[in-house]
């Protein structure tokens, strides 16, 4: 029987795991009492997780369309898509972690992505399942970064550093991307565009695993990520045909296969000319995703926003926080 350590909502950030715990902190309100069984093993309290959490963090004030906040029409749409997947013998077993998320949570993401139009949501879901089988995503996840890229990962880390560091105040993993000097032609000298797309997929799958881990850890629903994109030194000469194709392809992967997975995204150190590229890129995003994107300039603009989202002790020190940057420690 799998037994997991009971960790409170106020647990130290992932990037600060070596700090001593604050013994005075209380159990979070979001822990569903009927979902856990406490036992005493070796003098230490443990819990066995019996079911996925069914509530969001108290600060995430979702409107209609989310679990426990559905209109009658949306409830009916959820029932209808369940009937549809049963009739079509769509098997979701293995598609999600039952200790971290429920089937309803997954179906609602697809429904929200298609404005609760059941036929369109079902097509998005069934196409995704078929695509994942065709791509053999399970096998892709098990590969090393070098195997996925087909070249030395240091090349990618040099031209497009991307890393995960801690979580925001709602428990969402925080992903940092240094995109300002991405010279894609230097990378495609050593690998292909297709492998770069696979690498993005490989990264996204790892981030989704982090959301599931945080759901189990904090005992409230975590289904999205917070993304910080650094555009310092970006210039129009980087917006080549190949770079445009790459950005379009990864945005397509995200919208078709990771619907409703971005909580919020902020572009920092944005030069004025970035607005030209944004006019193109925003056309690839649905209106709801567009609203989750903020574009700001220097530290005076972005630091207050980031500190509102992320505790200072967990925020990367490159962006005004106190957590030592993990930029070069996650190469693998």
């Amino acid at each position: 029987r799998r037994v997991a350590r009971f960790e409170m909502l106020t647990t130290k950030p992932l990037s600060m795991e070596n700090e001593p715990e604050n013994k005075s902190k209380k159990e979070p309100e979001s822990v569903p009492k009927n979902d856990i069984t406490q036992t005493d093993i070796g003098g230490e309290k443990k819990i066995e997780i019996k079911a996925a959490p069914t509530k969001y963090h108290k600060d995430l004030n979702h409107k209609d369309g989310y679990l426990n906040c559905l209109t009658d029409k949306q409830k009916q749409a959820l029932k209808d898509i369940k009937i549809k997947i049963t009739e079509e013998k769509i098997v979701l077993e293995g598609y999600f972690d039952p200790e971290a998320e429920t089937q309803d949570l997954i179906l609602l993401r697809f429904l929200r992505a298609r404005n609760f139009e059941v036929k369109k949501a079902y097509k998005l879901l069934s196409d995704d399942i078929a695509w994942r089988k065709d791509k053999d995503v399970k096998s892709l996840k098990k590969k090393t970064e070098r195997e996925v890229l087909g070249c030395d990962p240091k090349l990618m880390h040099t031209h497009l550093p991307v890393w995960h560091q801690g979580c925001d105040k709602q428990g969402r993993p925080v992903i940092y991307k240094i995109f300002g000097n991405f010279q894609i032609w230097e990378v495609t000298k050593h690998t292909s565009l297709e492998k770069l797309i696979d690498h993005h997929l490989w990264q996204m799958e790892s981030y989704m695993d982090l959301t599931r881990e945080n759901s189990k850890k904090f005992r409230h629903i975590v289904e999205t990520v917070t993304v910080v994109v650094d555009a310092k030194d970006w210039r129009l000469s980087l917006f080549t045909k190949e770079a445009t194709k790459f950005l379009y392809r990864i945005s397509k992967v995200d919208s078709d296969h990771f619907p409703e997975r971005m909580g919020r995204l902020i572009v920092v150190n944005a030069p004025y000319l970035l607005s030209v590229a944004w006019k193109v890129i925003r056309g690839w995003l649905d209106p709801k995703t567009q609203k989750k994107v903020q574009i700001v300039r220097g530290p005076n603009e972005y630091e207050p926003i980031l500190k509102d989202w992320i505790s200072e002790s967990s925020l990367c020190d490159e962006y005004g926080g106190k957590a030592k940057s993990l930029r070069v420690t996650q190469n693998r």
Side-chain angles (χ1 to χ4, degrees), residues 184-185 236-245:
I184 191 170
W185 58 87
L236 276 176
S237 60
L238 297 174
F239 201 47
T240 63
K241 183 178 180 180
E242 190 175 32
T244 304
K245 187 175 182 180

Side-chain angles (χ1 to χ4, degrees), residues 79-169:
K79 289 180 182 178
D80 290 345
I81 198 170
K82 285 181 177 180
I83 292 171
K84 182 68 174 175
I85 63 175
T86 300
E87 290 175 344
E88 299 296 332
K89 298 181 180 180
I90 297 291
V91 179
L92 294 181
E93 185 178 348
Y95 196 71
F96 63 99
D97 182 346
E99 289 189 356
E101 54 194 349
T102 63
Q103 177 177 281
D104 284 3
L105 197 67
I106 292 173
L107 295 178
L108 284 171
R109 286 201 293 265
F110 283 87
L111 284 166
R112 287 197 304 273
R114 291 297 179 264
N115 297 314
F116 282 84
E117 295 185 40
V118 175
K119 288 184 179 179
K120 291 182 178 180
Y122 172 76
K123 185 177 188 310
L124 183 65
L125 174 64
S126 58
D127 286 352
D128 179 51
I129 292 173
W131 177 84
R132 287 175 178 277
K133 184 177 180 180
D134 183 59
K135 287 285 293 183
D136 195 6
V137 174
K138 286 185 178 180
S139 295
L140 180 71
K141 288 178 64 175
K142 296 176 183 178
K143 292 183 178 181
T144 65
E145 190 169 21
R146 181 184 290 271
E147 289 172 334
V148 175
L149 278 171
C151 66
D152 190 339
K154 289 182 180 179
L155 182 70
M156 199 64 173
H157 301 154
T158 298
H159 291 281
L160 181 57
V162 177
W163 73 97
H164 155 251
Q165 183 157 0
C167 55
D168 67 14
K169 293 177 181 179

Side-chain angles (χ1 to χ4, degrees), residues 169 176 228 230 266-270 294-313 315-322:
K169 293 177 181 179
Y176 296 87
V228 180
D230 193 336
I266 184 170
V267 180
V268 303
N269 295 317
Q294 285 183 258
I295 300 178
V296 296
R297 295 200 176 184
N300 289 340
E301 290 187 32
Y302 69 70
E303 282 191 14
I305 297 172
L306 290 177
K307 288 177 181 178
D308 182 53
W309 292 1
I310 308 165
S311 65
E312 199 169 352
S313 61
L315 178 62
C316 175
D317 59 8
E318 293 187 47
Y319 301 99
K322 295 181 178 179

